[in-house]
Amino acid sequence: MKKALIVGINDYPIAPLTGCENDAYAIKSILDTNGDGSPNFDIELKLNVSTKSELKTLIIDLFKGDSDVALLYFSGHGYIDDLGGGFLVTPDAQKNDLGVGMDEVLNYANVSKCKNKVIILDCCHSGVFGSPSGNNNKADIGDGITILTASKSDEVSLENIGGHGVFTTLLLEALKGGAADLRGHITPGSIYAFIDQALGAWDQRPVFKTNINKFVSLRQVNPQIPMQTLREITRLFPSPTEQIDLDPSFEFTNDKTIEHEYIEPFAIPENVEIFKKLQQMNKVGLVIPVDEEHMYFAAMNGKSCKLTALGFHYWRLVKDKRI
């Protein structure tokens, strides 16, 4: 079971925001289902939460129970005080009582029995989450907790990229499939890598912190290669260092019924089927031709093909029956 609390606050009496409701709506929409339309997260969407008490209650409720995944997404104002403590600011903020402390949120996550706790913050100074503050000399990020924030502790989080924050714009692209692996799995780690690569050295920098022994999939999209084809990698390559010798019989266009130059050996249906799978693997970086730029010429010129480093990685996963 996977559940998520999605919070977006625009309506601050002082310094109102414009994109946080849009952020929350969009994140809710994408996390609702997987790429094939199947149910994903059970979501509580809360817009313009008005008080610290209400937000704290929602967060406490999120981390109750023993769900497989409990995810908190917050888009709004963030603040860091003179002691280095961070806050998720609520509209009822006042001097010395700005909102829900980030340390409080971490404490609720730490004591939660949920197996995976994922905290995603698109607010200024969000990178302070999970860092030492006040008189504490260390941060206590408990088992199963993953933190992904829009900016470092001393940075602001920018708005207004197509009606969304800069960070959430990239987060949405990652969840749509930009951060998916070959199997279509999207994890917090792959999301961070996607966002990190998209932002330059002068941009706000995302922060990633985690204490887990295995990444959890936040969303699944269609795999880049059919799983049945991927699982044949160990049959096609009995050894990961083995090369498959090719010849013109693997290329389906090398057929006497097609009017163009063709050479022997002519296309053999069995080899053609193997070659189609090898070409699919080539498209996603698992296989490369040897001494030729394209798989077509490797076949027509009697060369070979081999696994890439990525191909070896998936070969091992298939061999060990992990996929």
Side-chain angles (χ1 to χ4, degrees):
M1 183 183 298
K2 298 159 72 175
K3 61 180 177 177
L5 171 63
I6 310 295
V7 179
I9 303 176
N10 279 346
D11 295 344
Y12 290 95
I14 301 175
L17 297 170
T18 59
C20 298
E21 287 186 50
N22 289 340
D23 288 347
Y25 271 124
I27 293 296
K28 192 263 184 192
S29 177
I30 200 74
L31 285 180
D32 254 338
T33 60
N34 292 302
D36 63 359
S38 62
N40 189 21
F41 276 89
D42 185 1
I43 296 176
E44 186 94 5
L45 175 66
K46 293 294 182 179
L47 303 176
N48 295 314
V49 175
S50 58
T51 67
K52 169 185 174 180
S53 175
E54 182 184 359
L55 180 58
K56 183 184 291 189
T57 299
L58 289 167
I59 292 170
I60 291 172
D61 288 344
L62 169 68
F63 291 121
K64 286 180 179 178
D66 59 354
S67 297
D68 294 322
V69 183
L71 183 148
L72 169 64
Y73 170 86
F74 176 85
S75 180
H77 274 308
Y79 186 81
I80 186 169
D81 65 15
D82 293 338
L83 295 177
F87 295 87
L88 305 181
V89 179
T90 48
D92 64 340
Q94 51 188 307
K95 187 176 181 180
N96 299 322
D97 190 12
L98 298 169
V100 179
M102 294 183 188
D103 285 348
E104 289 183 87
V105 179
L106 181 58
N107 288 337
Y108 295 135
N110 278 338
V111 300
S112 172
K113 294 181 180 179
C114 295
K115 298 176 182 64
N116 294 277
K117 287 81 67 173
V118 180
I119 298 161
I120 303 175
L121 305 179
D122 190 353
C123 59
C124 297
H125 312 295
S126 49
V128 74
F129 193 102
S131 298
S133 63
N135 295 321
N136 297 326
N137 57 16
K138 66 177 183 179
D140 181 17
I141 299 176
D143 290 342
I145 292 179
T146 296
I147 301 160
L148 180 59
T149 73
S151 58
K152 296 191 295 185
S153 60
D154 59 349
E155 292 179 333
V156 297
S157 179
L158 300 177
E159 276 197 297
N160 295 326
I161 300 294
H164 297 294
V166 171
F167 171 80
T168 293
T169 297
L170 294 171
L171 174 60
L172 289 167
E173 291 302 315
L175 288 169
K176 288 175 183 176
D181 66 10
L182 293 184
R183 297 168 293 170
H185 294 166
I186 301 169
T187 69
S190 67
I191 291 172
Y192 171 75
F194 179 89
I195 296 174
D196 176 63
Q197 292 172 15
L199 294 172
W202 293 92
D203 297 317
Q204 67 185 65
R205 298 302 308 165
V207 175
F208 182 73
K209 304 172 186 178
T210 191
N211 181 12
I212 57 171
N213 54 36
K214 183 180 180 181
F215 276 125
V216 63
S217 179
L218 298 184
R219 190 167 188 260
Q220 189 159 352
V221 296
N222 292 331
Q224 298 177 42
I225 180 172
M227 291 303 298
Q228 183 177 355
T229 299
L230 181 57
R231 292 190 180 105
E232 289 198 47
I233 195 169
T234 52
R235 183 182 68 82
L236 296 173
F237 294 88
S239 163
T241 59
E242 189 168 320
Q243 295 185 11
I244 296 179
D245 292 327
L246 302 173
D247 60 47
S249 70
F250 285 79
E251 173 53 47
F252 79 96
T253 62
N254 187 45
D255 190 314
K256 290 187 292 184
T257 63
I258 300 175
E259 293 186 5
H260 63 75
E261 183 180 358
Y262 51 87
I263 56 178
E264 295 186 13
F266 304 129
I268 299 173
E270 180 182 349
N271 286 350
V272 168
E273 286 303 309
I274 291 174
F275 196 52
K276 286 180 179 178
K277 293 170 183 175
L278 292 172
Q279 287 177 310
Q280 286 180 309
M281 293 179 183
N282 171 250
K283 288 179 181 178
V284 295
L286 299 176
V287 170
I288 55 172
V290 176
D291 297 329
E292 291 288 355
E293 187 174 353
H294 301 289
M295 292 289 285
Y296 170 84
F297 293 113
M300 297 304 289
N301 294 329
K303 299 297 178 65
S304 61
C305 64
K306 64 180 182 179
L307 292 175
T308 62
L310 181 65
F312 175 62
H313 169 68
Y314 279 95
W315 183 93
R316 186 164 46 197
L317 291 178
V318 172
K319 183 177 183 297
D320 294 341
K321 297 182 179 179
R322 298 189 183 279
I323 57 175

